[in-house]
Amino acid sequence: MPPTIGGLVDYLFVPRLDTRVENEHFQQELISAMTRVLDSGQYIGGPEVESFEHEVSNFLGVEHAIGVASGTDALTIALLAIVGIEAQDGEVITSPVSYCATGSAILRAGLQPRFVDIDEESFNLSPELVEAAIGPEIRAVLPVDLYGRVAEIAQIRLAAGNRPVIEDACQAFGAKTPTNEFAGTLSNVTAFSFFPSKPLGGYGDGGLVVTRDSNVADLVRIIARHGSRERYYSEFPGFNSRLDALQAALLRVKLSRVKSARLQRTHIARCYQEELKDLTWLRLPQDVEGHAWHCFTIRVLNNKREHLIRYLKDRGIEVVVQYPAPLHWMPPFKTGQCLPIAEQLCSELLCLPIWAGMSDAQINHVIQAVRFAGKMI
Ligand SMILES: Cc1ncc(COP(=O)(O)O)c(C=O)c1O
């Protein structure tokens, strides 16, 4: 029995994520998938990659799914395919609260990010502010489905007018909109990441571009293969960006668990919502239908975040500040803009552990520790 103070278990290790616990349930299937690839002798492209692309496009209900080497590549290649492969002038509207890959992809595609502030409740791009920022220099809009909540894609498409919308759904595989469409199915083109912590996490790096537009899909494949439409003939300098056969085989196993893993994370999110809702020194994320709960991100008010992090760490709970600074403060993307909601959010946010396979004891330990912390800090 772990030691307790005042009914609270004093220490229980709750990692930010433990993919090994999740894997235990289908370890044998993963091993069979790896063995199949080893035995096939085909490690680049081939039937595993084709089957995965086919299964994932069926799962999402989009016509084209193209595996690439990472989410960052998926975003960069999607941008190049939709905006053009020539050196570009122009800007792409995006969110200032995202992983730096969102900004890097825009720069790598030869464009400049134009950050627009986020909505305080959803943490996603505000369609009204997108509309206000549209001007002749804007080439595209790139919303991010932050923490697994799908951005207001339909409204953003309206705000974007005839400009394309490229969705960064790297954190939102399997998430749905309030009208029950999968993340990635409403935009012109979408990028997913298979980084291991993501809702469809792989066993190394990997990414995916999805689109309904066959011209865009063709271009994505060409860009990802050194600008080659035909083998051994390059038309322009593209990338070498492929999803490995081994990754594809393993992801096929994981794809069949995406829904149940999302339901498990939803259960944890609902426990947190229910048990923490009376704490006035923090704000909980909105509980919207279809959320993928890649992160459960609270806002810690009154400058208590550092104390809370230390308090939880001392009790074995790993939390993460994802992200401590908005993109427009970072050297590659500095725009000199003032975006008050994003800046405030970055100073308050904290992601509590949420992953498929967390035990009831671990969920309860987080809840009790956060509640107890409120009395101590
Ligand atoms: C919002 C967002 N965009 C892009 C990426 C880049 O994905 P990857 O790490 O697979 O390159 C990530 C992953 O960390 C992400 O969270």
Side-chain angles (χ1 to χ4, degrees):
M1 187 68 181
T4 64
I5 318 175
L8 168 73
V9 174
D10 193 35
Y11 190 94
L12 178 65
F13 182 48
V14 188
R16 153 140 173 66
L17 174 74
D18 193 342
T19 45
R20 292 166 310 174
V21 172
E22 201 185 351
N23 291 344
E24 271 168 19
H25 299 285
F26 42 88
Q27 185 105 354
Q28 212 40 59
E29 277 180 69
L30 293 172
I31 291 168
S32 305
M34 282 194 279
T35 310
R36 208 167 57 230
V37 176
L38 282 180
D39 289 348
S40 76
Q42 181 147 16
Y43 310 133
I44 299 280
E48 292 293 342
V49 176
E50 281 164 24
S51 298
F52 174 66
E53 289 179 343
H54 181 69
E55 285 160 16
V56 90
S57 68
N58 275 349
F59 179 95
L60 294 174
V62 283
E63 286 75 358
H64 308 282
I66 303 116
V68 292
S70 67
T72 309
D73 275 9
L75 270 177
T76 311
I77 294 169
L79 269 162
L80 287 166
I82 214 140
V83 179
I85 48 169
E86 306 295 324
Q88 299 295 329
D89 265 348
E91 299 180 8
V92 176
I93 290 177
T94 195
S95 169
V97 184
S98 185
Y99 184 49
C100 51
T102 309
S104 305
I106 295 171
L107 294 179
R108 296 246 175 256
L111 297 149
Q112 292 298 318
R114 164 85 71 90
F115 299 108
V116 160
D117 215 348
I118 51 172
D119 174 82
E120 191 151 17
E121 299 298 336
S122 68
F123 307 151
N124 282 330
L125 268 188
S126 155
E128 292 74 32
L129 295 183
V130 169
E131 188 166 7
I134 292 285
E137 65 293 352
I138 302 298
R139 304 290 305 272
V141 182
L142 198 163
V144 180
D145 300 336
L146 196 68
Y147 306 137
R149 176 172 175 167
V150 188
E152 309 270 13
I153 302 295
Q155 289 91 322
I156 288 172
R157 281 201 77 162
L158 280 177
N162 56 3
R163 290 160 182 86
V165 170
I166 297 124
E167 187 173 345
D168 180 342
C170 285
Q171 302 185 358
F173 191 95
K176 288 194 162 179
T177 65
T179 45
N180 208 30
E181 285 104 353
F182 273 119
T185 58
L186 297 182
S187 302
N188 297 85
V189 61
T190 296
F192 291 105
S193 163
F194 301 135
F195 184 83
S197 67
K198 298 291 194 264
L200 176 53
Y203 297 82
D205 277 314
L208 188 79
V209 179
V210 304
T211 180
R212 297 189 183 284
D213 185 327
S214 51
N215 293 327
V216 172
D218 287 347
L219 251 179
V220 166
R221 287 192 194 278
I222 294 166
I223 297 168
R225 283 154 191 66
H226 296 288
S228 304
R229 213 175 292 264
E230 284 166 33
R231 208 169 185 204
Y232 303 134
Y233 189 86
S234 172
E235 295 169 32
F236 56 86
F239 292 71
N240 170 22
S241 190
R242 301 183 279 231
L243 184 70
D244 291 338
L246 205 49
Q247 255 344 301
L250 294 168
L251 284 164
R252 291 177 71 194
V253 177
K254 275 301 257 317
L255 183 63
S256 64
R257 266 83 186 186
V258 161
K259 190 171 171 202
S260 71
R262 181 168 78 79
L263 291 177
Q264 286 183 61
R265 292 193 302 274
T266 303
H267 165 72
I268 300 165
R270 300 246 154 101
C271 293
Y272 287 159
Q273 298 276 4
E274 187 53 34
E275 301 297 330
L276 302 176
K277 66 177 183 231
D278 59 319
L279 302 182
T280 52
W281 53 276
L282 54 83
R283 293 256 181 291
L284 300 176
Q286 276 182 336
D287 180 7
V288 288
E289 234 12 87
H291 204 308
W293 295 114
H294 169 57
C295 297
F296 187 91
T297 306
I298 60 172
R299 297 178 72 152
V300 188
L301 309 181
N302 314 325
N303 293 319
K304 288 182 180 215
R305 182 168 72 182
E306 292 316 308
H307 299 288
L308 178 62
I309 292 172
R310 213 169 317 122
Y311 186 89
L312 296 177
K313 190 167 173 244
D314 288 346
R315 274 141 198 89
I317 300 167
E318 284 184 355
V319 287
V320 65
V321 176
Q322 188 178 321
Y323 302 97
L327 295 180
H328 64 284
W329 287 1
M330 298 182 193
F333 321 116
K334 259 201 176 116
T335 56
Q337 289 174 277
C338 173
L339 301 165
I341 300 174
E343 291 165 21
Q344 183 71 21
L345 178 68
C346 289
S347 72
E348 293 175 346
L349 65 87
L350 188 67
C351 306
L352 300 182
I354 188 163
W355 39 273
M358 252 177 101
S359 68
D360 287 347
Q362 287 175 313
I363 299 167
N364 203 34
H365 183 56
V366 176
I367 291 167
Q368 295 310 324
V370 172
R371 294 194 65 80
F372 216 75
K375 298 185 190 143
M376 310 297 287
I377 60 179

